[in-house]
Amino acid sequence: MGRIYNFSAGPAVLPEEVLKEAAEEMLDYRGCGMSVMEMSHRSKVYDGIIKEAEKDLRELMNIPDNYKVLFLQGGASQQFAMIPMNLMKNKKAGYIVTGQWAKKAYQEAKIYGEAIELASSADKTFSYIPDCSDLDIPEDCDYVYICENNTIYGTKFKTLPDTKGHTLVADVSSCFLSEPVDVSKYGVIYGGVQKNIGPAGVVIVIIREDLITEDTLPGTPTMLKYKIHADNDSLYNTPPAYGIYICGKVFKWIKKMGGLTAMKEHNEKKAKILYDFLDESRLFKGTVVKEDRSLMNVPFVTGNEELDAKFVAEAKKAGFENLKGHRSVGGMRASIYNAMPVEGVEKLVEFMRKFEKENAE
């Protein structure tokens, strides 16, 4: 069987040429006689791999010099605790709740201090992004937190909230490297890599240096202090070495593709094909208000649960995997990350047209 079209929300599709290159280097990385999977993270060879990965990421995102890049573990979910532990100096933070992951981060922050819900879109099943142009933010708030692209619900902040001078913290797990970004607008921008960049097991944290201090909440474990990882160049303990190596290859692939501006064009083209079809379809409809639609995750429904299940089953037989919506919302979802080729989306739409013809009343 050949490669399928994988619409999984994560772990997700990776560029084929990256996988091929990794396969070629599996037994012997560039003549060193061993796999990256088995080499010491303290070795000269590995030091070159992690440093080059950071250098390429800095170039891609145009990361200012006063920001540290950390390759950590524990996924985005561990950051839900690490952020308040390191940043909640006044024990107060504002959260904008636009989906399940923002909600989980908000609930986690309550363990460490006063977490304030500044805005929410829960009233309409998170199908839109609330207006964040004039939020009521307490003066002594340590930071304002958002989940920039909501994987489950398919929404995306097109305009960052006005934080009124407070530090902005953003989880960008599912839109990481999908378009150009002005890092200087954030205090912390972070994400798990298993959606757009690499295999599960790595989380990348880009953090402004003034936010990295000894002054963490009492009881913060050593492993959850940003300063420890920053001072040790992400090598305080054994990092997820192989995962970082794959991320490095994906950074090179994106550079080769033309960088983040080219990526955005590629992603807009794919999303347009799918959204245009959903807007004219008699059977399928998108679930997100137009102006807040994500380029990465596209949820849609037929309005009939049995028909949804039939669609997912038939799509699977036709070589389109992982189209079932998140268990919490049902329906369907196509995640069309960077590595999903345009033809994957075109073929999906072709299949949806055929299904509509056979099943629309």
Side-chain angles (χ1 to χ4, degrees), residues 174-178 193-198 250 296 337-339:
S174 53
C175 59
F176 223 157
L177 300 185
S178 63
V193 303
Q194 72 278 10
K195 298 169 183 299
N196 231 356
I197 304 173
V250 173
M296 298 282 100
Y337 298 124
N338 287 349

Side-chain angles (χ1 to χ4, degrees), residues 58-282:
R58 282 186 175 277
E59 274 174 33
L60 275 174
M61 291 179 76
N62 208 358
I63 299 173
D65 291 344
N66 64 325
Y67 282 74
K68 286 271 191 214
V69 173
L70 308 175
F71 294 98
L72 307 177
Q73 296 176 76
S77 297
Q78 186 157 287
Q79 293 304 309
F80 299 169
M82 206 161 166
I83 285 156
M85 282 175 165
N86 286 267
L87 303 188
M88 253 194 189
K89 314 294 186 202
N90 300 320
K91 294 276 190 86
K92 195 178 283 187
Y95 281 71
I96 297 168
V97 181
T98 51
Q100 205 152 305
W101 303 113
K103 189 176 171 184
K104 284 188 171 168
Y106 166 60
Q107 285 164 341
E108 189 79 4
K110 286 180 175 174
I111 299 169
Y112 303 101
E114 189 189 343
I116 301 153
E117 186 179 271
L118 298 173
S120 168
S121 52
D123 62 330
K124 292 184 180 161
T125 333
F126 301 121
S127 59
Y128 71 103
I129 297 289
D131 178 6
C132 299
S133 59
D134 188 19
L135 299 168
D136 184 14
I137 306 170
E139 208 33 62
D140 58 346
C141 230
D142 291 304
Y143 58 86
V144 172
Y145 182 102
I146 62 169
C147 179
E148 198 162 315
N149 187 85
N150 298 284
T151 325
I152 295 173
Y153 301 95
T155 57
K156 162 86 163 68
F157 279 83
K158 303 288 166 78
T159 311
L160 293 175
D162 179 356
T163 64
K164 300 182 174 170
H166 295 84
T167 298
L168 177 64
V169 176
D171 172 356
V172 296
S173 295
S174 53
C175 59
F176 223 157
L177 300 185
S178 63
E179 56 182 48
V181 57
D182 181 356
V183 175
S184 69
K185 288 184 174 167
Y186 305 81
V188 181
I189 180 168
Y190 79 90
V193 303
Q194 72 278 10
K195 298 169 183 299
N196 231 356
I197 304 173
V202 184
V203 58
I204 296 173
V205 176
I206 301 161
I207 176 169
R208 213 173 57 225
E209 283 175 353
D210 61 287
L211 298 171
I212 305 171
T213 63
E214 299 275 8
D215 177 23
T216 53
L217 293 186
T220 299
T222 304
M223 274 299 287
L224 296 188
K225 292 178 179 175
Y226 288 130
K227 189 159 175 26
I228 288 288
H229 296 288
D231 288 351
N232 291 279
D233 297 325
S234 302
L235 293 166
Y236 173 72
N237 69 326
T238 309
Y242 194 80
I244 294 167
Y245 152 78
I246 299 288
C247 292
K249 288 205 175 303
V250 173
F251 300 154
K252 291 219 178 295
W253 175 78
I254 295 173
K255 282 173 87 171
K256 194 172 124 188
M257 294 282 283
L260 297 187
T261 308
M263 263 302 130
K264 184 179 188 186
E265 280 169 25
H266 166 67
N267 290 326
E268 283 176 338
K269 184 179 174 185
K270 285 184 297 188
K272 186 175 182 344
I273 294 166
L274 188 44
Y275 284 126
D276 282 356
F277 169 71
L278 289 172
D279 288 342
E280 58 157 68
S281 172
R282 293 183 329 234

